[in-house]
């Protein structure tokens, strides 16, 4: 999970740096440049929100799967304990 977070952070930071460099090095007037910066920021904000939503959905999915597996293990453990108890009781 940490590698994924680092990759996402790196991609976002790289995108910001690349966009800023492209905007600042382009031969445009100040008004055009500010408009481009606004558009790029809005686009980046939209993509970031979508990425966060996707990560949240995936996190919920994984949490649900972990919960289901935990319940399965707990049920199996209860079953084994019940069997062992019965065997001990029968042995007495």
């Amino acid at each position: 999970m940490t590698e994924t977070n680092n990759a996402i952070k790196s991609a976002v930071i790289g995108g910001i740096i690349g966009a800023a460099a492209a905007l600042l090095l382009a031969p445009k007037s100040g008004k055009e440049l500010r408009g481009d910066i606004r558009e790029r920021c809005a686009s980046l904000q939209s993509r970031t929100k979508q990425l966060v939503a996707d990560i949240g959905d995936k996190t919920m999915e994984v949490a649900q799967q972990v919960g289901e597996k935990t319940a399965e293990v707990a049920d199996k453990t209860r079953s084994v304990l019940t069997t062992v108890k019965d065997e001990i009781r029968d042995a007495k």
Side-chain angles (χ1 to χ4, degrees):
M1 195 62 129
T2 302
E3 291 178 21
T4 303
N5 289 340
N6 288 339
I8 292 170
K9 287 177 188 176
S10 297
V12 170
I13 291 170
I16 291 170
I17 292 171
L23 289 173
L24 295 174
L25 297 175
K28 294 184 178 183
S29 71
K31 187 175 183 177
E32 288 176 317
L33 182 60
R34 287 188 299 275
D36 286 350
I37 290 172
R38 267 193 294 283
E39 288 175 20
R40 298 266 178 136
C41 286
S43 173
L44 182 61
Q45 184 179 23
S46 174
R47 288 188 303 202
T48 303
K49 285 180 182 179
Q50 184 60 46
L51 183 62
V52 168
D54 291 346
I55 290 171
D57 291 343
K58 187 65 175 174
T59 301
M60 292 299 291
E61 182 181 320
V62 169
Q64 183 179 5
Q65 290 173 355
V66 168
E68 290 170 1
K69 293 293 182 185
T70 302
E72 288 176 20
V73 169
D75 289 342
K76 288 179 183 178
T77 303
R78 277 190 213 101
S79 175
V80 168
L81 287 175
T82 301
T83 303
V84 170
K85 278 182 178 179
D86 291 342
E87 289 177 1
I88 292 172
R89 207 172 294 143
D90 291 343
K92 286 184 179 180

